[in-house]
Amino acid sequence: MLTIIQATIALFMILGASAQMLPDSGALIMNELEHLYFDSGGPAGFVSGITPCDIYIDSSTGTQNNTLGRQTSAQWIRTAFHDFMTANVAAGTGGIDASIGFETFRAENVGVAINDTLFFFTFFFNAKLSMADLIAAGAAISIGACGGPPIPLRGGRIDTTGPGPSGVPEPETDIKTTLADFSGAGFSQEDAIALTACGHTMGGVRHSTFPQVVPASAIGVNNSDGRIAFDDTVAAFDVDLVQQYIDGRGLAGGPLVTTTNETVQSDLRLYSSDGNATVQKLAQSSEHFRSTCVTLMSRMIDTVPQGVTLTPLLDPSKMKFGNVSLNVDWTGDLTLSGFLRYIEGPGSASAPTSLSLIVIDGNQRLTNTSTQAITDRVDLSNHAYGPTFHYPFSVSFAGGSGLSGIQVSGIEQQFPLQDSLFVVPTLSSITPGFDKYNILDPLHEFTFNITAALRTSSSSGPPLTLKGTISFPVPQPGNMSPRIDYSTTIQLNLIGGAGSFALYSVIHVLNMTSLQIFGSSIDIEDEGGEARAEFFKLFSILHFF
């Protein structure tokens, strides 16, 4: 029986297997993040880790454990906030940079929430999807999937290599220090109050982590950690927290307001620091609460160190492609496959039943080769932007005329691709398969059989070798998050031809954990020419069952 983590990763691999995109690092980062953000739904997508929003995924087993009073969706938001809060915007340091992984031993980060979150995210970490981007995306997805508004998302965050300064307010922190910490991160008093309310609309406080806040009497059936929630709708991102606080009903703002230990009434001190003016404004309407949270959560996850340039915002209104792979047979004919994504958002047209795709040849000309892509109407959304549908396609054509992209008829939208150099999935493999080991097992010996195709010119013969660089996650001492190692280089040797292509192959053995293989990728280049294939995800050639 698959654990939730196994099922989630299996679907993520299938949907994001490989890409024959142009070797543009920024575009590849956006493609990875878009895939995670917009294709995360369905029965076993990334968002299944927080579906329904009151579940808890036990990082030690990869399965649900709803007896403790913990909540994964709230953990994802807490992790982003704690990573952000040590920013010093004047100095240009900190923010969402994944330094939180080095800081979990601090009292200000007490509890299992952060390591639980980083453990889950680690299975989606790779050379184009940094842990910092995953932390930002996790908060945005958690909010949208749990009834909250869509949070605009960018990519390009860079993981730091060490801890940042302390500075996350604790329950005992006085109001002057708390506001100074927020000010250092670029947030005013009003911002601080509102951001805290936004972050505390889900989840709660547990006796096991904060016994000075929550009494042991909170421990009960399916609540062995002794959690008291912030409001009565613990699994919903909604306005209830501030309305219950203002009205003094329900949970009245939660234990950091109502605890009898005045020393740890941190939310009460913050909310009332401006005479409750900010909270009263937030409580006026759900629309105002949601719009304020969008603004502040976006600012929070876009706070990054100086020198980090974020990508443009991901655009849910545009049709995109994913899982695009290119294969060549021994006669030189090509087969292009993948899917197109259409989000049926507010104001957009209903998703069509099918789409017509036309191949664009190597000279940027439309060809006579086309195919129909038909949707199965399975919603793969993250619940924030609207129903999301995939249109799988596969089209074969003669390889001699080349490939530079595909065009979708009707909307006349083109997607650039390349066939100058690519990994050939049908001629590549990794053994043993996914069914031969447990996902949480330690090291296994994996044999990589990788074949690549290089388009040749008539003016010169093909080179004898290509250079490959395998990238994969490696552990960092004192941190649940890994880093990417780029030191493994291999040589692919010429083995023959297939029409207009020269074929190259290598067999390489590596000892890796399953966690490492999920994040592994390869770049291949012709060192004597300009051809380059960047970021082929190697787990796409791993057989699952």
Side-chain angles (χ1 to χ4, degrees):
M1 180 177 178
L2 290 177
T3 67
I4 284 180
I5 290 178
Q6 283 176 302
T8 298
I9 293 165
L11 184 70
F12 189 73
M13 288 180 183
I14 292 168
L15 294 180
S18 61
Q20 307 300 336
M21 295 179 64
L22 303 181
D24 179 325
S25 186
L28 290 166
I29 289 171
M30 291 186 70
N31 188 67
E32 277 294 281
L33 197 57
E34 285 174 342
H35 175 50
L36 184 84
Y37 198 29
F38 297 137
D39 302 318
S40 65
F46 184 83
V47 78
S48 69
I50 53 171
T51 304
C53 288
D54 60 352
I55 66 169
Y56 168 66
I57 305 300
D58 189 334
S59 62
S60 65
T61 64
T63 60
Q64 282 191 39
N65 183 352
N66 298 327
T67 67
L68 303 173
R70 302 175 187 174
Q71 184 178 340
T72 297
S73 57
Q75 289 182 333
W76 290 7
I77 296 173
R78 182 173 190 254
T79 298
F81 174 76
H82 280 237
D83 196 29
F84 151 78
M85 266 305 296
T86 58
N88 184 328
V89 294
T93 60
I96 304 294
D97 61 1
S99 65
I100 190 67
F102 294 101
E103 301 158 4
T104 56
F105 62 90
R106 297 175 181 170
E108 64 191 37
N109 298 319
V110 66
V112 300
I114 293 167
N115 277 335
D116 278 346
T117 299
L118 297 179
F119 172 79
F120 188 90
F121 291 173
T122 291
F123 287 93
F124 303 89
F125 172 79
N126 58 45
K128 300 300 178 187
L129 198 51
S130 68
M131 185 57 69
D133 274 349
L134 283 162
I135 289 170
I141 289 172
S142 184
I143 292 168
C146 298
I151 304 297
L153 186 63
R154 306 174 190 270
R157 296 166 190 81
I158 298 173
D159 295 344
T160 189
T161 57
S166 59
V168 181
E170 300 178 57
E172 296 84 0
T173 305
D174 63 82
I175 188 63
K176 181 179 179 180
T177 302
T178 295
L179 293 177
D181 289 337
F182 273 100
S183 178
F187 276 51
S188 67
Q189 180 181 16
E190 183 176 353
D191 296 337
I193 295 169
L195 182 65
T196 301
C198 295
H200 284 176
T201 185
M202 296 198 300
V205 184
R206 301 188 309 277
H207 170 77
S208 61
T209 306
F210 295 101
Q212 73 275 38
V213 178
V214 178
S217 59
I219 297 171
V221 177
N222 292 330
N223 191 18
S224 60
D225 275 1
R227 181 183 68 179
I228 296 178
F230 288 119
D231 65 24
D232 290 335
T233 52
V234 66
F237 193 96
D238 58 26
V239 73
D240 286 7
L241 171 85
V242 289
Q243 290 184 342
Q244 290 182 9
Y245 168 77
I246 291 297
D247 296 342
R249 58 181 173 83
L251 294 174
L256 294 174
V257 171
T258 61
T259 177
T260 57
N261 182 354
E262 294 184 4
T263 304
V264 292
Q265 291 177 336
S266 55
D267 280 4
L268 178 61
R269 286 192 295 272
L270 183 58
Y271 295 160
S272 63
S273 65
D274 67 350
N276 290 320
T278 298
V279 183
Q280 286 174 339
K281 284 195 296 184
L282 290 172
Q284 288 176 359
S285 71
S286 176
E287 291 74 19
H288 180 66
F289 179 81
R290 289 165 67 90
S291 65
T292 301
C293 291
V294 168
T295 299
L296 295 177
M297 285 291 180
S298 298
R299 282 178 52 197
M300 180 184 81
I301 62 176
D302 284 353
T303 300
V304 295
Q306 186 176 19
V308 174
T309 301
L310 298 179
T311 68
L313 287 171
L314 306 188
D315 185 355
S317 68
K318 290 185 177 180
M319 184 177 292
K320 296 292 178 69
F321 63 83
N323 191 23
V324 178
S325 62
L326 189 61
N327 281 289
V328 61
D329 64 21
W330 291 103
T331 68
D333 288 345
L334 295 172
T335 297
L336 179 69
S337 60
F339 67 82
L340 291 167
R341 175 200 310 120
Y342 184 89
I343 299 178
E344 201 175 89
S348 65
S350 297
T353 302
S354 64
L355 296 167
S356 180
L357 281 69
I358 303 173
V359 174
I360 305 172
D361 70 16
N363 292 315
Q364 306 291 323
R365 297 174 302 196
L366 293 178
T367 69
N368 293 322
T369 302
S370 64
T371 189
Q372 292 292 115
I374 301 173
T375 181
D376 57 10
R377 296 293 299 183
V378 174
D379 181 10
L380 294 168
S381 70
N382 65 9
H383 310 311
Y385 286 97
T388 300
F389 304 111
H390 285 176
Y391 296 77
F393 66 85
S394 181
V395 57
S396 297
F397 51 96
S401 59
L403 171 72
S404 63
I406 54 175
Q407 176 170 301
V408 181
S409 296
I411 62 172
E412 309 307 322
Q413 186 171 344
Q414 295 188 355
F415 301 97
L417 298 167
Q418 61 89 20
D419 69 347
S420 59
L421 176 57
F422 56 96
V423 175
V424 185
T426 54
L427 300 180
S428 303
S429 64
I430 299 176
T431 54
F434 190 70
D435 59 333
K436 302 300 183 184
Y437 57 90
N438 186 290
I439 200 169
L440 301 180
D441 280 353
L443 289 171
H444 290 269
E445 184 178 273
F446 291 97
T447 299
F448 295 78
N449 186 343
I450 302 169
T451 300
L454 174 71
R455 179 172 286 279
T456 58
S457 65
S458 57
S459 59
S460 62
L464 297 178
T465 63
L466 300 175
K467 177 185 177 182
T469 301
I470 297 177
S471 309
F472 56 90
V474 295
Q476 297 188 95
N479 191 339
M480 181 68 75
S481 302
R483 62 176 178 83
I484 294 294
D485 180 276
Y486 297 93
S487 65
T488 300
T489 58
I490 57 176
Q491 179 176 288
L492 289 80
N493 297 307
L494 180 65
I495 60 170
S500 301
F501 299 92
L503 297 181
Y504 298 79
S505 184
V506 65
I507 295 177
H508 190 74
V509 177
L510 285 173
N511 286 308
M512 305 176 80
T513 66
S514 58
L515 203 161
Q516 288 176 308
I517 204 167
F518 298 146
S520 64
S521 60
I522 188 169
D523 299 340
I524 301 177
E525 61 181 310
D526 172 11
E527 293 185 282
E530 297 180 354
R532 177 177 174 83
E534 186 174 340
F535 191 59
F536 179 90
K537 292 188 278 189
L538 289 169
F539 61 53
S540 66
I541 56 175
L542 174 69
H543 298 290
F544 297 112
F545 310 109

